[in-house]
Amino acid sequence: MSGSEVLRHRPLWLNLDYDREASPLLARVLEAEADHLVVSMPYRRGRPVPLVPGEQATVRVPYNANPGRYTYEFRARVVQRRFTPVPAATITYPRDLQRVIQAAEPRPCRVLAVASGKGGTGKSTVALNLGLALAMRGRRVALVDADLGTANLGTMMGLQPAATLESVARGERPMSDAMCTLPGGLRLIPGGAGVPDLAGINRWQFGRLLDALRWLEDQSDVVLLDLSAGISRLVTTFIAAADQTLIVTTPEPHSLTGAYGLLSTLDLASGRLVRVLMNQANGPLEAGDAFRRLDAAVRERLDGRLGYLGHIPVDPEVPRAVRRQVAPLLDNPQAPAAQALARLADRVEDPQAVAAVPSERISFVQRLRTVLVR
Ligand SMILES: Nc1ncnc2c1ncn2[C@@H]1O[C@H](COP(=O)(O)OP(=O)(O)O)[C@@H](O)[C@H]1O
Ligand SMILES: [Mg+2]
């Protein structure tokens, strides 16, 4: 990988000297030249903040899994700005940057399948925000809308893509045409809505799809697949090929039943860990309880084991952000769901990490009551 490729799409946090007190601005690298970086115009709370030539800033670049520990900091000066074809600014940067980051990279690409038994569990929400969270840590992330029946990630982010995964599979467009870059450098490949299943796709088209995914894998650290809900050949094929599987369910019985149904079609004996996320939970206890029930059924009847990835609370910020076509993490990082999504990103970084399953701790007084009532 060339030096400039290492920096391309990478997110940056800028603290302008004149408003040192304000929260840092997020931008990303569009091009890395020998002595300056072309960066996208940063924005704060969804609004662009134009940089002015001559301004000085402290810039931080996350370049590894843990942004707290691996951050490169440097002083920069804004050299130029432009508004077309996209608003951008040119800033100075130290030569060291590429070398430091290159030394800490490259990592093997991991393909993470995000699946669910039923629709509406929050699979696309989770995939999108997980992708954003990983991209903001400096990972090169591609999010593929492989939900070929009801692809909606493009709409969620208000995109009108020139090409989709469907047109790539049909051989009409190259994968590069279908790629949209989102804030933080996350690359999204929107799906199409015309191919409901592998049954509707011929061998040649499936081959095209695989070629395109291989191409994507070559230039990513993580590829996230937002799969269709339920059981289909396309879903089980993708899960079998992925390095990791994340099953999104809610604590509701019909959603758990759906998750169990999907799990029953997978080869759980392969030793690969399938991990479960409880979304839209009313707290850790409800989520832990639901996970324990699912895990017990899988152990008893499928002879498999599940990893627990924790829960994401029901949070009104999520549908609100969807309506405004921004991802919750970006719009309001303090929202409970956004914080839970960031914790999820920590766990996903480690293929073996699981969360403790919280259980109801019965207080002394509660126990006393049951004794007295008896
Ligand atoms: N943690 C959450 N809290 C509140 N609403 C949520 C949460 N997660 C998802 N939703 C909402 O649930 C609906 C379905 O989410 P979506 O991601 O489209 O599901 P799927 O892709 O599984 O069909 C959306 O309206 C979304 O805003
Ligand atoms: Mg979806």
Side-chain angles (χ1 to χ4, degrees):
M1 208 193 317
S2 75
S4 56
E5 273 302 303
V6 167
L7 294 177
R8 215 136 72 112
H9 299 302
R10 203 164 280 277
L12 306 166
W13 296 101
L14 290 113
N15 266 107
L16 296 169
D17 283 4
Y18 82 83
D19 70 347
R20 219 171 306 215
E21 301 311 311
S23 56
L25 300 167
L26 176 66
R28 80 191 146 78
V29 176
L30 300 176
E31 294 299 334
E33 309 291 351
D35 54 355
H36 63 260
L37 298 176
V38 181
V39 301
S40 63
M41 211 56 98
Y43 57 86
R44 178 180 280 143
R45 297 209 144 259
R47 291 212 182 74
V49 179
L51 299 179
V52 179
E55 258 172 6
Q56 308 265 350
T58 300
V59 181
R60 280 176 299 125
V61 186
Y63 64 89
N64 206 309
N66 184 337
R69 255 192 322 178
Y70 301 104
T71 309
Y72 189 100
E73 192 175 305
F74 64 91
R75 296 280 300 156
R77 186 169 49 80
V78 181
V79 183
Q80 255 180 14
R81 69 169 165 182
R82 61 164 203 234
F83 291 96
T84 54
V86 289
T90 307
I91 64 168
T92 55
Y93 80 105
R95 270 174 201 286
D96 229 19
L97 183 61
Q98 293 189 354
R99 192 186 50 74
V100 170
I101 290 181
Q102 201 152 21
E105 314 276 316
R107 290 163 300 245
C109 173
R110 275 186 283 136
V111 178
L112 177 68
V114 184
S116 71
K118 289 277 189 315
T121 59
K123 190 164 42 63
S124 300
T125 306
V126 168
L128 175 63
N129 283 282
L130 178 61
L132 284 167
L134 295 173
M136 285 189 190
R137 294 162 182 215
R139 298 291 207 172
R140 294 171 307 154
V141 187
L143 170 57
V144 180
D145 195 346
D147 183 351
L148 291 174
T150 48
N152 62 356
L153 281 174
T155 327
M156 268 170 93
M157 290 309 283
L159 301 171
Q160 277 157 343
T164 61
L165 193 62
E166 190 192 340
S167 50
V168 173
R170 288 190 199 289
E172 294 159 5
R173 305 293 277 268
M175 188 67 136
S176 52
D177 276 10
M179 221 153 64
C180 308
T181 305
L182 297 181
L186 173 65
R187 287 182 292 171
L188 172 67
I189 292 84
V195 189
D197 184 19
L198 199 59
I201 212 174
N202 63 36
R203 277 182 88 87
W204 181 83
Q205 288 172 335
F206 191 60
R208 290 274 328 170
L209 205 57
L210 294 188
D211 286 347
L213 291 173
R214 198 168 307 125
W215 177 82
L216 205 61
E217 214 182 320
D218 278 346
Q219 38 182 298
S220 311
D221 297 317
V222 185
V223 176
L224 294 173
L225 303 173
D226 181 12
L227 301 179
S228 315
I231 305 155
S232 71
R233 254 182 73 204
L234 192 60
V235 166
T236 42
T237 307
F238 275 141
I239 290 179
D243 299 301
Q244 291 186 47
T245 303
L246 191 170
I247 301 217
V248 182
T249 175
T250 74
E252 309 219 317
H254 80 284
S255 177
L256 291 174
T257 311
Y260 178 81
L262 175 60
L263 286 161
S264 68
T265 66
L266 305 181
D267 176 17
L268 295 175
S270 66
R272 222 185 300 166
L273 193 60
V274 172
R275 294 184 292 178
V276 172
L277 176 76
M278 282 294 158
N279 187 26
Q280 308 189 45
N282 293 305
L285 291 177
E286 185 196 46
D289 187 49
F291 174 76
R292 216 174 293 107
R293 272 184 285 145
L294 181 61
D295 189 41
V298 166
R299 275 182 209 223
E300 279 166 31
R301 285 182 258 157
L302 304 178
D303 201 23
R305 290 198 67 172
L306 299 175
Y308 185 46
L309 278 174
H311 81 284
I312 295 174
V314 183
D315 183 343
E317 278 300 312
V318 175
R320 212 174 286 154
V322 169
R323 249 175 281 147
R324 287 204 309 271
Q325 297 179 325
V326 292
L329 259 181
L330 274 185
D331 198 45
N332 187 356
Q334 302 313 318
Q339 298 203 344
L341 283 157
R343 276 195 298 278
L344 171 68
D346 287 337
R347 291 186 184 129
V348 164
E349 288 274 283
D350 176 354
Q352 294 302 322
V354 289
V357 186
S359 64
E360 188 111 46
R361 200 182 299 124
I362 299 172
S363 73
F364 171 68
V365 177
Q366 274 171 314
R367 248 177 297 154
L368 208 56
R369 269 204 201 105
T370 36
V371 173
L372 292 178
V373 167
R374 227 186 269 150

